């Protein structure tokens, strides 16, 4: 499959995150994408650099003030104390119910809380550069479909589906899949589907399109009653206004196996067929894998061929956008199994 990748993914290289109050190595690592690239190359897939600039569509879907914050966050962090170079900023205060989120504070950590949904998304020196280049890759993938091609993979990193109009979270800063879908619409398509098969609910993507009928968002994920992002992704979230009926969630319990997962995928494929879209954007998370260190489904590496195969049955131009997946060793194999299953389908 034709693949877009920017080497700038290496610039987002945080050293640690917090897990139950303890500092642990980042699950969302540079090595994840290193392994995907190795597997793509070993199995003969063509990798090229992004050839489109996402700036315009970033400012359509994301709040420009939030974008400016991301661009300058590391400088603001260093301005507090040059010794911060060796550390990473985390939020420690949030504008929860009854507090104001319409006045941007001067305090950097308070700003970080305003623009974050969690304290699990470390920022590093090159985060903006990497996030922007991942968005460029997703927009380039969309353009590649618009040129008449049938399928494409965007090896975006950091991931995107938890990021909303004006917030980061869940290792995500810019919503790559949403930016890809919006690009398809901006260039003349009328209806696009985003199917999110990451283990975690794509709360950012859902929120970006919740009141719209030109994007059908469907997500298969771990039940938010027990799984991140906890506060969105329930079955009764169906969209609002003219978007009513264009948001579909399939939460599944911890321990869900491939047969059970596939039953939900088959329902999603029927939903997609009824919508009659012109293209499909897949938020491709591989954290549904049995060996994933932070997730609880039991899909095996070989099953991912069938995932790709079933997606191909829709016969739609399809852009795969990389999201999560933290079993670093198996990640390359699992990604390429989906892509090759699609190509053989
Ligand atoms: C894109 C994506 O997959 N983001 C996921 C963000 C998940 N963040 C919460 C991590 C919490 C780790 N819980 C670990 C439980 C291990 N026993
Ligand atoms: Zn995930």
């Amino acid at each position: 499959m034709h693949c877009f990748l920017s080497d700038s993914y290496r610039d987002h290289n945080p050293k640690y995150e917090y897990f139950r109050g303890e500092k642990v190595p980042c699950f969302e690592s540079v090595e994840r994408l290193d392994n995907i690239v190795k597997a793509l190359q070993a199995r003969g897939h063509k990798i090229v650099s992004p050839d489109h600039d996402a700036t315009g569509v970033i400012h359509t879907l994301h709040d420009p003030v939030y974008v400016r914050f991301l661009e300058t966050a590391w400088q603001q962090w260093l301005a507090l104390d040059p010794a911060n170079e060796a550390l990473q900023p985390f939020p420690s205060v949030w504008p929860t119910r009854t507090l104001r989120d319409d006045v941007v504070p001067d305090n950097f950590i308070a700003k970080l809380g305003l623009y974050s949904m969690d304290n699990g998304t470390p920022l590093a020196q090159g985060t903006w550069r990497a996030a922007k280049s991942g968005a460029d890759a997703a927009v380039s993938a969309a353009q590649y479909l618009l040129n008449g091609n049938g399928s494409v993979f965007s090896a975006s990193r950091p991931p995107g589906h938890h990021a909303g109009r004006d917030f980061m979270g869940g290792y995500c800063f810019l919503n790559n899949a949403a930016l890809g879908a919006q690009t398809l619409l901006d260039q003349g398509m009328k209806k696009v589907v985003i199917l999110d098969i990451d283990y975690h609910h794509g709360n950012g993507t859902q929120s970006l399109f919740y009141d719209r009928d030109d994007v059908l968002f469907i997500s298969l994920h771990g039940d938010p009653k027990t799984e991140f992002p906890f506060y969105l992704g329930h079955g009764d979230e169906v969209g609002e206004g003219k978007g009513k009926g264009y948001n579909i969630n399939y939460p599944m319990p911890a321990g869900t196996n491939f047969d059970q997962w596939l039953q939900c995928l088959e329902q999603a494929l029927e939903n997609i067929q009824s919508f009659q879209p012109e293209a499909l954007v897949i938020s491709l998370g591989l954290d549904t894998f049995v060996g994933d260190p932070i997730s609880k489904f039991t899909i095996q590496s070989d099953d991912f061929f069938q995932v790709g195969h079933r997606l191909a049955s829709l016969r739609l131009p399809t852009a795969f956008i990389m999201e999560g997946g933290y079993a670093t060793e198996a990640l390359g194999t699992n990604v390429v199994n989906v892509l090759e299953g699609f190509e053989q389908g």
Side-chain angles (χ1 to χ4, degrees):
M1 192 172 292
H2 195 83
C3 306
F4 286 98
L5 168 84
S6 160
D7 281 336
S8 303
Y9 75 83
R10 310 185 147 279
D11 295 350
H12 177 60
N13 190 16
K15 298 282 177 284
Y16 60 90
E17 64 184 70
Y18 286 103
F19 175 59
R20 293 185 183 145
E22 211 182 353
K23 272 188 180 180
V24 298
C26 291
F27 290 102
E28 203 291 287
S29 66
V30 167
E31 290 72 34
R32 294 176 61 243
L33 212 47
D34 289 346
N35 282 359
I36 294 171
V37 171
K38 259 186 249 167
L40 287 168
Q41 283 169 341
R43 290 162 68 171
H45 296 273
K46 185 175 176 195
I47 304 177
V48 302
S49 295
D51 50 14
H52 281 81
D53 183 348
T55 303
V57 68
I58 287 172
H59 286 96
T60 303
L61 283 190
H62 290 285
D63 177 356
V65 180
Y66 165 65
V67 174
R68 188 77 197 132
F69 172 77
L70 285 182
E71 286 171 341
T72 59
W74 189 256
Q75 284 159 259
Q76 294 186 49
W77 172 238
L78 291 189
L80 295 178
D81 184 342
N84 281 348
E85 181 84 58
L87 301 170
Q88 296 161 183
F90 289 92
S92 58
V93 61
W94 286 268
T96 300
R97 292 162 298 286
T98 75
L99 302 179
R100 284 183 68 174
D101 63 7
D102 61 322
V103 183
V104 179
D106 293 336
N107 179 282
F108 173 72
I109 295 299
K111 264 190 278 200
L112 190 57
L114 178 64
Y115 295 126
S116 298
M117 61 175 280
D118 67 3
N119 83 330
T121 306
L123 250 161
Q125 178 166 25
T127 296
W128 168 253
R129 219 175 112 80
K132 167 64 166 58
S133 79
D136 289 343
V139 166
S140 299
Q143 290 289 347
Y144 186 77
L145 292 189
L146 289 159
N147 292 344
N149 296 290
S151 63
V152 64
F153 174 57
S154 171
S156 301
R157 177 183 175 273
H161 72 151
H162 296 302
R165 178 163 179 80
D166 59 2
F167 62 88
M168 53 190 260
Y171 312 141
C172 303
F173 301 88
L174 297 174
N175 196 313
N176 304 309
L179 294 166
Q182 186 63 49
T183 299
L184 296 172
L185 296 164
D186 288 346
Q187 304 295 318
M189 287 192 182
K190 296 277 175 269
K191 288 194 288 182
V192 171
V193 168
I194 302 178
L195 174 63
D196 190 325
I197 59 172
D198 186 279
Y199 178 79
H200 305 96
H201 176 251
N203 63 283
T205 317
Q206 171 169 315
S207 68
L208 282 164
F209 299 115
Y210 206 59
D211 61 357
R212 287 171 51 171
D213 60 3
D214 53 349
V215 176
L216 171 62
F217 176 70
I218 310 179
S219 182
L220 277 59
H221 51 269
D223 190 333
K225 284 196 166 175
T226 60
E227 306 308 304
F228 186 89
F230 303 113
Y231 308 113
L232 210 66
H234 301 286
D236 63 353
E237 299 158 13
V238 297
E240 69 185 11
K242 70 176 170 25
K244 202 164 183 178
Y246 299 98
N247 193 92
I248 304 175
N249 284 326
Y250 291 105
M252 286 169 264
T256 291
N257 65 29
F258 185 54
D259 284 345
Q260 296 161 329
W261 188 90
L262 205 53
Q263 283 178 26
C264 283
L265 182 69
E266 295 299 338
Q267 287 183 49
L269 297 182
E270 285 178 28
N271 301 145
I272 294 169
Q273 270 160 342
S274 315
F275 183 64
Q276 297 189 295
E278 285 156 89
L280 181 58
V281 173
I282 305 290
S283 263
L284 181 61
L286 284 301
D287 36 14
T288 53
F289 176 56
V290 63
D292 195 274
I294 66 170
S295 309
K296 298 168 191 149
F297 290 171
T298 65
I299 299 182
Q300 319 271 329
S301 288
D302 280 348
D303 297 331
F304 288 115
F305 282 110
Q306 203 183 336
V307 174
H309 200 269
R310 292 305 298 136
L311 296 173
S313 73
L314 291 168
R315 307 249 163 260
L316 286 167
T318 301
F320 292 90
I321 314 289
M322 191 64 207
E323 301 285 2
Y326 308 99
T328 308
E329 281 300 308
L331 183 59
T333 299
N334 293 345
V335 168
V336 183
N337 285 1
V338 173
L339 303 182
E340 291 185 359
F342 184 93
E343 286 180 318
Q344 289 153 18

